[in-house]
Amino acid sequence: MELGAPLDRVEGWDKVAGRARYSGEQRVAGVCHAVAVQAEIAHGEVLAVDATAARAVPGVIDVLAYGDAPALADTSDFELAVLQSPRVAYRGQIVAAVVAETLEIARHAQRLVRVTYDELGHDVELTPDHPGLYRPEKISPDDPPDTGEGEETPAEVSVDVTYETPAFHNNPMEPHATLAVWEGDHLTLYDSTQGAAAQRDALAALLGMPAERVRVVAHHVGGGFGSKGVPPRPNSVLAALCARRVGRPVKLAVTRQQMFSITGYRTPTFQRMRIGASKDGRIADIEHHVIEQTSTAREFAEQSGVVTRMMYAARARRTTHRLARLDVPVNSWMRAPGECPGMYALESAMDELAEACGIDPVELRIRNEPERDPDSGNPFSSRRLVECLRLGAERFGWSSRPEPGTRREGRHLVGMGVAAATYPAAARPAQALARVADDGSFTVSIAAADIGTGARTALTQIAADALGVPVARVRVEIGDSALPYGPLAGGSMGNASWGWAVLRACEGLRDGIARYGGAEPGLECRADTSGEIKNQEAYARHSFGAQFAEVRVDVDSGEIRVPRMLGVFAAGRVMNARLARSQFVGGMVMGLGMALTEESRMDREFGDYLNHDLAQYHVPVNADVLGIDAIWLDDPDPHANPLGGKGIGEIGIVGAAAAIGNAVHNATGHRFRRLPISPPSVIPHLP
Amino acid sequence: MRPFAYRRPADARAAVEAALDAPRAMYLGGGTNLVDLMRLGVAEPDLLVDVAGLPYDTIRETGDGGLEIGGAVRNSDLAAHPAVRRDRPMLAQALLSAASGQIRNAATVAGNLLQRTRCAYFQDVSKPCNKRIPGSGCPAIEGDHYNLAILGHSAHCVATHPSDMAVALTAFGAAVHVEGPGGRREIGMPGLHRLPGDRPEVDTVLDPGDLITGLTVRPLPFAARSRYRKVRERASFAFALVSVAAALDVEDGTVRDCRVALGGVAHAPWRAERLEEALRGRPATEGSYAEAADAELDLAEPLRDNAYKIPLARKVIVRTLAELGG
Amino acid sequence: MRVNFTVNGVEQTADDVWEGESLLYVLRERVGLPGSKNACEQGECGSCTVYLDGTPVCACLVAAGQAEGREVRTVEGLADGERLDPIQEAFVECGAVQCGFCTPGLLVQAHDLIERVPEPSDPEIREALAGNLCRCTGYEKILDAVRLAAARKAEAGR
């Protein structure tokens, strides 16, 4: 089946039959169970861990804590220096672990571990004027915190507003789970990770072992959205330590509640947007000032302002990032880090500017298209935002958008909103091996990860296409660090990176077969794309899109529903239409959650995220999603990579919250500048 | 969770006797709340007396148009019963607005009534809570309480009762059948659930060993026009910010009778008696509904971050009554 | 304690079960059927949905003792031998499966819906599946799959 065709997910049959084995489900003889004991203070030191009662429980094998846990070789990353110091940097930090014959015994004993602390005062609340705000050396992944160019000039129309987003938790459906197995001085980790090879390298460094003696296996991963990337989460380290200590395989499954403190989340933000424009909507000056939090345990500077560096033309431009270092859990990657919160602010401000200028929001964006990337000065490899906006406007019936606060249907206020989307398109070096198997079929191997994206399927299609054989004759092996190196699934770079290497390996094998005169079993070809990637031409590579939303606001309850949502994307070549649509729509629904239902609420007194379960953290349910669709332009980008794809895992969430927020403004006439927009905040502003 | 003993008695008497055997015995119905609380360490029974299999799992229509509902009847079965759907829509709607299909399939009527609060502090054993550990303090009062009580709370507890079904039953004035160490008795609703006062650890007026075996819902013909409206933070599967159960009897444009109860606003399902009194005999207009709602909500004492519940409750009450009266 | 029950038509005896174990734990760790997933252990996500005496429930909230003498059917028991149930086929064909972690619970819940309501409307599907969280798909393809399976079952029943 050709590339782009809607091939069934290759591991789909295993998943619907209940046969797919996730990391915590591997069967290993002699396995025992570990559970983490978490700090109940947000800042201070552990004075003592009294495990007497826990150890007395029949079936308890051992209790680990600072002072008696195996030592790590590298403790430079405090978050990963598990049980290596008495310091407590946030509530929920791992301060001990119980290992027992069964999970239930371990859990019972966990509650009997008594930890005493020297508690210091904590500072857990991000405020826009926090006295500790500082400029980080760089922002993720490796960019300057501040940029500035051009002279500010008096503007005819100006917008100066601040948006506030709460913390969000990734909440993949599979909680992080690890099965750690030591055989002599070799460690195998069955681990729910977005990158087996990167995880192996990180764990090997922490444990002070050569990478060859560590193997990470992740055949099936139940979602990640950034929370299973690298650096690893501390639970993986703890599992390895526990297994080493007790000399048996150890299974450690993080609970949903624990995920709210130890597996990362998206920082809350305050984002001040200043835009000055002429009356006809052309931007003269644009400023984006970002305030975020980071943990004292490890710095993470989310790059929320980068979108304003490249999105629109302007004569003057300034972006800054300031962080407050707080006694909070470590924030980290979450789907479209930077672009997601940043575009919420930028695209909401663009809507406000459109209103101030009296210009249609679609037209305003079109008027501010830059010719080249304003940030790098490079040409865009392709930039089809205007087509996305125009096509979307036509399909969505944008011309029927009402004046703000004027359309009432029964007990509902109805409105429409639009926002642009963008996400960088990059690739990382990878290696792949393509080989003719004994039965004449083909095996392609790469340490890629399928966290639900469809990577295994897309790579199968890429390989079959390159080999010129039906997909049924190709088997793709992924999810194992013992396979040729592949980078992690992140930054929407997975398929571009792995696919590129798979393409080259298969092209090489095909040539080899031609030279040899037949598909002789054992013929193989290895590919490494690092050279090609290093020598890529200078282009600004980004995906683009346009998000449209219609909302209905209940005038009695303030409840908001989204009867229609449309995303139009120009995201390069699409490898599998069926899988792609689901990725886009899934991202849009996560954006719907960001706009309307999701929020991690910091408990000031205790310093943790209070609503730490799925009853209280409201992931959208099926009933929240009504008519939602995603379409895309046929958009192979030859400058992106040889496959022409740009990555689709993240752009779906970008702009979605802004489109919904702008629609709420259009419906109600009131501008809500804090997410989520839910009944408590809506009620005071209803007629 | 903590080790405990497990028993399945054959009848109610045996259940009550078994429950008196252990100092921290608890009855287990569907388990949808209790098993969760045990895993969280909030509930630590030393004995679970499984009463879900007792023969109180039938729904019977009485000759006078009332309903006898067994305590072990599953929520989904009650919601689907023709006499509930036809004659008591607010009860059917309340049941169906609660939790998810899977939970409703397992949850029993008695267990639903005895749900514990979903206050985040109550559910987190690493934090103080007067309801969990009397005298330890209530962090919600100064902390996060946007979804907690505006009516009937105390300086010791601002929790809300999470049940939807109980709100509708409170509007009906259902009678709860209890089999206890001292024999059988009936408790009217409202009346089963307490306000927190200075003993928030006590949710209900039940005594140790008391087992809810069933309910009587007496006939209320005008409840064929009734409604349950629930406001929540997503379209389904979330607890109420505010909910309203209302039945309205209108003749010639005048309210002859009405029943209104509120959920999500207090430690107990809140029967809006002042509202009902203010509305009887008044014209069936939005103006009357609003005045009556205000009569009730004048009692509200919002906390720092939940004052929105007052206009929210008011609007939803008015709208629900207007839909019933119009 | 000992728990005797039937799982996917096979009588099972689990020994040395601790009272505090859940049905989900017994299925996954003792019976060797990890198809039902553990994603919240609070009944808040539906990933562990199994049939208990023919009714879908969250296995994480069923105490082991409550399963005594009862019939359990899990995702592993939906197929008829090697032949997958139409709902399983439809999930793959419609692209309703992504990471797959919510899938087993969704399949059981959707299977039950189609058994009870042969031609469910979209709002009925959305509400019936509201207890099954999915973080990947955005639910759209899941709806397609339920519609397709319902149509096929109706067709086969004619």
Side-chain angles (χ1 to χ4, degrees):
Chain A
M1 198 176 284
E2 68 182 21
L3 198 51
L7 175 68
D8 287 346
R9 178 177 292 269
V10 295
E11 82 283 6
W13 305 101
D14 284 340
K15 285 179 173 173
V16 296
R19 285 194 301 257
R21 289 287 169 269
Y22 296 76
S23 57
E25 298 169 351
Q26 302 295 330
R27 305 204 85 169
V28 178
V31 72
C32 52
H33 299 259
V35 297
V37 178
Q38 296 179 282
E40 294 188 359
I41 62 165
H43 183 205
E45 281 204 358
V46 172
L47 290 177
V49 174
D50 177 0
T52 316
R55 286 181 186 279
V57 175
V60 169
I61 299 166
D62 212 338
V63 178
L64 286 76
Y66 163 66
D68 63 6
L72 291 169
D74 177 0
T75 56
S76 58
D77 180 339
F78 182 78
E79 170 75 335
L80 298 179
V82 180
L83 305 182
Q84 304 295 301
S85 119
R87 179 185 156 209
V88 174
Y90 61 88
R91 200 176 207 268
Q93 181 186 316
I94 296 168
V95 292
V98 177
V99 188
E101 294 293 343
T102 73
L103 177 62
E104 293 296 344
I105 293 171
R107 284 183 173 176
H108 169 51
Q110 167 202 33
R111 290 236 162 81
L112 301 176
V113 175
R114 290 283 160 260
V115 184
T116 47
Y117 302 94
D118 179 12
E119 188 171 359
L120 301 169
H122 61 244
D123 177 7
V124 295
E125 192 179 10
L126 181 68
T127 56
D129 53 357
H130 193 282
L133 289 176
Y134 71 98
R135 183 174 66 194
E137 269 184 38
K138 60 177 188 177
I139 55 171
S140 290
D142 192 16
D143 286 309
D146 294 359
T147 60
E149 59 176 16
E151 290 288 311
E152 196 176 324
T153 49
E156 291 172 341
V157 183
S158 63
V159 166
D160 184 348
V161 288
T162 298
Y163 299 95
E164 187 181 346
T165 59
F168 298 106
H169 275 78
N170 311 55
N171 275 317
M173 288 315 298
E174 181 203 20
H176 300 54
T178 310
L179 171 58
V181 185
W182 287 90
E183 288 157 298
D185 57 0
H186 280 71
L187 171 67
T188 302
L189 280 185
Y190 299 90
D191 205 4
S192 34
T193 171
Q194 295 177 216
Q199 186 84 340
R200 170 202 59 197
D201 294 346
L203 264 295
L206 283 161
L207 295 164
M209 296 164 63
E212 309 83 73
R213 297 215 315 257
V214 180
R215 180 180 172 200
V216 174
V217 180
H219 290 144
H220 298 288
V221 181
F225 312 110
S227 73
K228 295 172 182 169
V230 286
R233 307 312 314 175
N235 54 290
S236 301
V237 183
L238 181 63
L241 291 181
C242 288
R244 174 181 273 182
R245 166 72 160 266
V246 302
R248 284 170 60 179
V250 166
K251 200 185 277 190
L252 189 152
V254 178
T255 65
R256 180 62 57 181
Q257 291 89 342
Q258 290 175 330
M259 290 173 73
F260 283 79
S261 47
I262 61 171
T263 63
Y265 62 98
R266 194 195 303 284
T267 177
T269 73
F270 293 92
Q271 300 181 62
R272 182 178 178 196
M273 302 296 313
R274 290 185 65 193
I275 311 180
S278 57
K279 278 185 201 150
D280 65 356
R282 284 175 216 284
I283 296 171
D285 323 304
I286 187 163
E287 295 183 26
H288 191 162
H289 302 289
V290 180
I291 287 168
E292 299 171 335
Q293 74 187 31
T294 188
S295 171
T296 66
R298 175 162 82 214
E299 182 180 272
F300 183 84
E302 182 149 347
Q303 66 273 35
S304 301
V306 295
V307 291
T308 295
R309 297 176 185 172
M310 52 66 65
M311 198 63 199
Y312 297 113
R315 284 201 301 274
R317 185 184 314 268
R318 238 156 62 77
T319 64
T320 64
H321 293 78
R322 296 292 178 271
L323 303 181
R325 199 174 267 135
L326 304 178
D327 305 310
V328 294
V330 174
N331 51 302
S332 183
W333 313 105
M334 179 168 167
R335 201 173 206 169
E339 277 74 14
C340 174
M343 283 296 268
Y344 165 66
L346 174 58
E347 291 302 293
S348 300
M350 288 295 280
D351 203 64
E352 300 209 39
L353 179 65
E355 192 185 19
C357 294
I359 295 172
D360 182 277
V362 169
E363 175 60 25
L364 178 78
R365 289 171 172 88
I366 293 170
R367 280 189 199 173
N368 287 290
E369 269 288 284
E371 284 180 16
R372 303 170 77 84
D373 174 19
D375 191 22
S376 64
N378 290 327
F380 284 102
S381 62
S382 72
R383 177 175 166 124
R384 299 173 69 185
L385 172 61
V386 172
E387 285 171 77
C388 291
L389 285 163
R390 289 203 165 120
L391 178 62
E394 187 194 316
R395 290 278 188 99
F396 200 69
W398 179 252
S399 58
S400 66
R401 175 176 173 262
E403 286 300 307
T406 62
R407 181 172 295 171
R408 174 124 180 194
E409 294 177 8
R411 302 302 301 171
H412 292 93
L413 299 169
V414 182
M416 288 185 194
V418 67
T422 187
Y423 196 77
R428 289 199 183 114
Q431 300 165 12
L433 171 67
R435 176 171 88 243
V436 182
D438 288 346
D439 63 358
S441 69
F442 300 88
T443 306
V444 180
S445 311
I446 180 167
D450 193 332
I451 57 174
T453 55
R456 190 183 270 108
T457 309
L459 294 177
T460 304
Q461 288 176 280
I462 290 166
D465 193 64
L467 290 164
V469 301
V471 287
R473 292 186 56 205
V474 177
R475 196 170 73 86
V476 169
E477 295 180 317
I478 62 169
D480 188 335
S481 66
L483 301 172
Y485 177 84
L488 61 84
S492 291
M493 289 182 276
N495 269 351
S497 309
W498 310 315
W500 193 334
V502 165
L503 175 72
R504 293 296 186 235
C506 291
E507 286 171 346
L509 182 60
R510 193 174 182 170
D511 290 348
I513 290 168
R515 280 198 304 277
Y516 187 84
E520 176 70 14
L523 276 180
E524 63 176 45
C525 178
R526 263 173 207 279
D528 184 334
T529 58
S530 40
E532 269 189 280
I533 287 177
K534 204 168 133 196
N535 295 322
Q536 272 199 298
E537 287 176 80
Y539 279 105
R541 297 176 176 84
H542 301 265
S543 294
F544 291 91
Q547 307 259 17
F548 293 81
E550 181 179 306
V551 301
R552 296 172 68 82
V553 183
D554 187 307
V555 295
D556 299 307
S557 68
E559 291 168 300
I560 299 171
R561 299 283 177 264
V562 184
R564 291 198 302 139
M565 211 172 162
L566 172 68
V568 185
F569 301 99
R573 185 179 189 181
V574 166
M575 309 293 168
N576 180 315
R578 180 176 305 159
L579 305 183
R581 188 184 304 276
S582 218
Q583 279 283 78
F584 288 133
V585 169
M588 291 163 71
V589 169
M590 205 180 273
L592 185 156
M594 173 183 176
L596 302 179
T597 65
E598 294 182 38
E599 173 179 23
S600 302
R601 302 172 70 89
M602 172 53 67
D603 185 340
R604 267 171 294 200
E605 180 177 356
F606 297 99
D608 62 349
Y609 285 106
L610 180 69
N611 53 330
H612 49 231
D613 60 39
L614 291 176
Q616 302 177 85
Y617 185 95
H618 294 124
V619 166
V621 299
N622 205 318
D624 287 295
V625 181
L626 300 170
I628 190 162
D629 198 12
I631 58 175
W632 51 88
L633 308 180
D634 182 25
D635 184 45
D637 184 341
H639 304 300
N641 55 60
L643 289 159
K646 284 177 157 180
I648 57 172
E650 286 161 279
I651 193 168
I653 194 175
V654 180
I660 292 170
N662 294 339
V664 173
H665 170 259
N666 184 244
T668 61
H670 182 83
R671 182 71 63 174
F672 296 90
R673 297 193 181 95
R674 186 192 184 285
L675 298 181
I677 310 172
S678 61
S681 54
V682 173
I683 282 292
H685 301 286
L686 290 176
Chain B
M1 61 182 80
R2 229 180 150 101
F4 59 90
Y6 172 86
R7 279 200 236 161
R8 260 195 201 185
D11 58 41
R13 274 327 311 164
V16 171
E17 278 161 26
L20 293 172
D21 269 1
R24 293 195 315 275
M26 294 183 81
Y27 293 119
L28 176 66
T32 52
N33 187 212
L34 181 53
V35 172
D36 181 21
L37 292 176
M38 288 167 65
R39 195 169 285 130
L40 293 171
V42 174
E44 296 196 315
D46 50 1
L47 169 67
L48 273 191
V49 182
D50 186 345
V51 294
L54 296 186
Y56 302 107
D57 59 348
T58 56
I59 304 168
R60 194 172 64 84
E61 292 182 69
T62 58
D64 60 357
L67 270 187
E68 297 282 342
I69 304 163
V73 167
R74 307 291 161 164
N75 285 193
S76 47
D77 291 335
L78 182 58
H81 195 276
V84 173
R85 295 170 52 161
R86 183 186 62 228
D87 303 333
R88 298 160 182 88
M90 69 178 165
L91 177 56
Q93 291 164 7
L95 284 157
L96 292 176
S97 75
S100 67
Q102 292 94 318
I103 302 287
R104 296 191 293 269
N105 286 342
T108 63
V109 166
N112 185 319
L113 288 174
L114 299 181
Q115 283 181 83
R116 311 296 314 270
T117 182
R118 292 285 172 158
C119 173
Y121 298 98
F122 173 73
Q123 295 191 84
D124 185 342
V125 295
S126 73
K127 296 176 181 171
C129 166
N130 285 329
K131 186 179 277 300
R132 210 170 0 85
I133 303 169
S136 61
C138 173
I141 292 172
E142 291 298 318
D144 200 330
H145 52 236
Y146 82 102
N147 55 356
L148 299 179
I150 55 170
L151 286 161
H153 50 79
S154 73
H156 305 278
C157 181
V158 294
T160 50
H161 196 267
S163 171
D164 294 294
M165 180 193 76
V167 177
L169 290 175
T170 297
F172 275 111
V176 178
H177 305 247
V178 176
E179 178 97 28
R184 291 182 193 170
R185 68 188 200 279
E186 275 195 13
I187 301 169
M189 290 179 72
L192 173 67
H193 300 94
R194 296 177 65 253
L195 292 179
D198 58 2
R199 296 205 59 198
E201 71 277 16
V202 186
D203 286 358
T204 68
V205 299
L206 296 178
D207 293 321
D210 277 351
L211 173 69
I212 295 178
T213 56
L215 302 162
T216 301
V217 182
R218 293 189 188 86
L220 187 71
F222 71 83
R225 284 186 74 77
S226 66
R227 225 193 131 185
Y228 188 73
R229 174 82 186 266
K230 178 176 180 180
V231 181
R232 44 192 159 178
E233 290 167 276
R234 60 184 173 192
S236 185
F237 203 12
F239 290 94
L241 292 171
V242 164
S243 68
V244 179
L248 196 61
D249 184 7
V250 176
E251 194 174 80
D252 298 332
T254 299
V255 176
R256 278 212 318 201
D257 200 357
C258 61
R259 296 289 178 89
V260 178
L262 306 177
V265 294
H267 192 262
W270 189 269
R271 179 77 174 264
E273 288 167 0
R274 282 169 190 76
L275 183 160
E276 293 179 4
E277 198 174 316
L279 196 54
R280 286 192 192 101
R282 299 289 311 279
T285 63
E286 291 201 16
S288 310
Y289 304 147
E291 280 176 33
D294 286 341
E296 192 69 42
L297 294 168
D298 280 348
L299 297 172
E301 293 182 84
L303 305 165
R304 184 192 63 233
D305 292 329
N306 69 1
Y308 73 92
K309 286 196 177 189
I310 297 174
L312 175 58
R314 184 179 193 272
K315 281 164 173 278
V316 176
I317 290 167
V318 170
R319 183 54 33 205
T320 306
L321 291 171
E323 284 169 6
L324 292 170
Chain C
M1 63 179 169
R2 166 177 283 197
V3 180
N4 301 289
F5 61 143
T6 305
V7 183
N8 300 329
V10 180
E11 284 184 22
Q12 296 276 357
T13 300
D15 277 316
D16 301 323
V17 172
W18 184 53
E19 287 77 3
E21 291 175 15
S22 66
L23 172 60
L24 178 63
Y25 183 88
V26 173
L27 289 169
R28 287 173 56 83
E29 302 288 338
R30 296 191 182 273
V31 183
L33 292 174
S36 310
K37 301 301 179 210
N38 179 352
C40 79
E41 284 200 286
Q42 294 193 285
E44 290 296 338
C45 76
S47 306
C48 65
T49 305
V50 300
Y51 279 113
L52 184 64
D53 286 346
T55 305
V57 300
C58 291
C60 71
L61 294 181
V62 178
Q66 291 176 296
E68 173 68 31
R70 302 176 77 173
E71 282 185 26
V72 177
R73 190 177 178 197
T74 70
V75 67
E76 289 97 336
L78 290 183
D80 180 7
E82 282 302 294
R83 200 185 142 68
L84 292 178
D85 187 87
I87 190 69
Q88 292 172 299
E89 291 178 345
F91 261 61
V92 177
E93 288 176 38
C94 293
V97 180
Q98 282 202 231
C99 86
F101 215 72
C102 70
T103 306
L106 262 166
L107 287 167
V108 173
Q109 185 71 3
H111 185 270
D112 173 68
L113 171 67
I114 299 171
E115 293 286 311
R116 287 185 295 110
V117 187
E119 290 177 58
S121 66
D122 284 3
E124 280 175 313
I125 300 172
R126 292 195 186 281
E127 184 56 37
L129 303 185
N132 293 81
L133 301 185
C134 170
R135 195 63 158 156
C136 295
T137 64
Y139 302 106
E140 211 51 23
K141 296 289 138 187
I142 292 167
L143 234 71
D144 288 351
V146 175
R147 290 189 204 109
L148 176 65
R152 283 189 183 157
K153 282 202 176 178
E155 185 69 25
R158 260 179 214 125

